Amino acid sequence: MTTSTILFPTAAFISALFLLDLGADRFITHTAALAKRIGVSPTLIALLTAGAEWEELAVVIAAMSQGRSSLALGNILGSSISNILGAFSLGWLFQAGEGGYDRSAKIYAAMMLGFTTVFVGLGFLGALGRVVGGGLLVGFAAYVGSVGWYIYKGVMKAPEDSDSDDGDDGSEGASDSDSDDGEDRDAEQASGHNDSSRSHENPSMEETTPLIDGRLSTGATNTKPAGPGKPQHSTLYHLAQLIFGFLALSLSGYILSRSISAIADAYSLSDTVLGITVLAFATTLPEKLLAVYSSSRAQPGIMVANTAGSNIFLMTLCAGVLFLSGDVEELSRGLETFDLVATWVSAVILAVIVMLGGRRWMGVVLLVLYLGFIGAEFVFAARKRKDTP
């Protein structure tokens, strides 16, 4: 094994991570902007963009296309564990004092534990075929529908985007989706400023006269133009950016799976091990950053919603696609009891913390458990390689 054998796939892996983040950001930002243009429900947009692991799905599909179904399975299991023991633990480390969670966070945690229990149970039973894959996709549709209904009724809060929005293109894409809100706020401020003059001109108007899209219910229109610094983009622009994001996701997923497979072959490690450890850790970095940000802003509910939502996405849509199109025999060989138990236990830990309330020291414990899990994966892999003739 030469140095170049490792350096090139490692460099490709790191480069692909940046492309993956860029592609996910473009895809999510412009999908939301385009959906709002054509009148799609904001709740549905939130569910399918924020708290969703589209980059993980890209990696899963790319791994399957190369005949590496075990790598895709390892990425699903590892990402679900990393979201809890890695990202959630970091969030608690930056959370000052004790904390509790609202009803929305508890519902998300309970749903995640339910989906995880079903997934792990199917793994123990060896039910990894096409029928199960279709059932998981139905479960994903049911999740989106039920959570969308609860959010619409005000029972739950929608998750927030876990991808960075500081990029130039992200701010441009968001400008269109924010412009209407900005105009509404400007209209409300203007109406409040000139409320007394309007009431003198029209005595029938009270302070509670409603404003709808900047127009008075009496028919007067507000022709205030959009504020400066928020350029409007055409639908074709958003569509082109969405396609660019999709292509970037596809290319980065292909490079990630190829490079991690090359590293696995060089060190004689299984795809499942590297998928659970290295690949899963790298692709869940946005969730870790969001957890730190949410905790520092005293928003633990957002942290739970995104962690639980991401794991449900992994256990339903990503796993459903994998079971429908992947190599069933390879998947059966790649499943390890230790990995399934670790996946379920991490979900139980999150649910218990959310239901009973958390402490800052719990973040330290979870992080230690995650480091121990990573170490145990490599130890078991080394023993397995030694026992293999």
Side-chain angles (χ1 to χ4, degrees):
M1 181 177 62
T2 62
T3 305
S4 60
T5 307
I6 297 301
L7 286 181
F8 181 77
T10 302
F13 180 83
I14 296 173
S15 302
L17 284 177
F18 288 99
L19 182 60
L20 184 72
D21 183 65
L22 173 65
D25 184 54
R26 292 283 183 97
F27 181 79
I28 290 173
T29 299
H30 294 282
T31 296
L34 189 62
K36 187 170 184 179
R37 281 283 180 91
I38 61 178
V40 175
S41 166
T43 298
L44 185 60
I45 296 173
L47 283 175
L48 296 182
T49 55
E53 298 283 358
W54 294 109
E55 59 270 32
E56 305 289 354
L57 181 60
V59 173
V60 167
I61 294 174
M64 287 191 303
S65 68
Q66 299 168 45
R68 301 270 189 166
S69 295
S70 58
L71 177 63
L73 177 63
N75 185 46
I76 291 174
L77 293 172
S79 295
S80 64
I81 295 171
S82 181
N83 283 338
I84 298 174
L85 301 184
F88 192 73
S89 63
L90 289 176
W92 265 111
L93 285 177
F94 287 86
Q95 177 76 24
E98 302 178 0
Y101 296 97
D102 58 12
R103 179 172 57 172
S104 176
K106 293 178 180 179
I107 294 176
Y108 272 115
M111 293 180 70
M112 182 212 64
L113 179 59
F115 278 110
T116 303
T117 301
V118 171
F119 177 86
V120 171
L122 292 172
F124 276 116
L125 294 174
L128 308 176
R130 308 290 188 261
V131 175
V132 172
L136 291 175
L137 294 182
V138 171
F140 174 74
Y143 158 71
V144 172
S146 60
V147 174
W149 174 257
Y150 281 131
I151 293 175
Y152 174 76
K153 288 295 185 180
V155 177
M156 300 174 67
K157 299 176 184 176
E160 292 193 358
D161 193 1
S162 62
D163 289 283
S164 59
D165 292 330
D166 357 355
D168 294 337
D169 182 80
S171 59
E172 289 176 5
S175 65
D176 287 334
S177 60
D178 294 340
S179 60
D180 294 337
D181 296 335
E183 290 175 15
D184 291 343
R185 287 193 297 270
D186 292 340
E188 290 175 3
Q189 292 172 359
S191 66
H193 181 71
N194 298 320
D195 186 63
S196 59
S197 60
R198 289 197 187 104
S199 61
H200 287 301
E201 294 171 4
N202 190 351
S204 64
M205 293 171 56
E206 303 291 341
E207 261 182 40
T208 56
T209 301
L211 286 174
I212 304 177
D213 294 331
R215 292 184 291 275
L216 288 172
S217 59
T218 56
T221 57
N222 183 351
T223 58
K224 181 179 177 63
K230 290 188 176 181
Q232 296 290 324
H233 293 297
S234 65
T235 302
L236 184 61
Y237 169 83
H238 290 299
L239 181 61
Q241 292 293 331
L242 187 154
I243 294 173
F244 173 82
F246 175 77
L247 293 176
L249 278 174
S250 302
L251 179 60
S252 60
Y254 175 81
I255 296 174
L256 282 172
S257 58
R258 290 289 293 183
S259 58
I260 205 71
S261 297
I263 296 173
D265 293 339
Y267 285 101
S268 300
L269 294 171
S270 70
D271 289 342
T272 307
V273 171
L274 283 185
I276 287 177
T277 55
V278 180
L279 185 58
F281 176 83
T283 54
T284 55
L285 285 176
E287 281 71 27
K288 294 176 177 62
L289 295 176
L290 178 68
V292 173
Y293 175 81
S294 300
S295 295
S296 63
R297 298 293 296 270
Q299 295 175 320
I302 293 176
M303 179 173 63
V304 173
N306 282 276
T307 300
S310 296
N311 279 16
I312 294 173
F313 189 93
L314 289 166
M315 298 294 173
T316 54
L317 183 60
C318 292
V321 171
L322 176 60
F323 292 170
L324 274 175
S325 307
D327 186 335
V328 177
E329 291 186 6
E330 184 182 350
L331 290 173
S332 299
R333 292 193 305 268
L335 272 179
E336 298 287 347
T337 301
F338 175 73
D339 300 331
L340 291 173
V341 171
T343 301
W344 187 76
V345 168
S346 61
V348 171
I349 291 174
L350 175 63
V352 170
I353 290 178
V354 172
M355 297 300 175
L356 302 181
R359 307 292 186 273
R360 192 172 185 179
W361 59 266
M362 293 180 180
V364 178
V365 174
L366 291 181
L367 189 58
V368 170
L369 287 176
Y370 183 59
L371 295 176
F373 167 76
I374 297 294
E377 282 289 337
F378 285 108
V379 170
F380 292 154
R383 289 181 179 177
K384 190 174 182 179
R385 187 169 68 248
K386 186 181 297 184
D387 295 338
T388 303

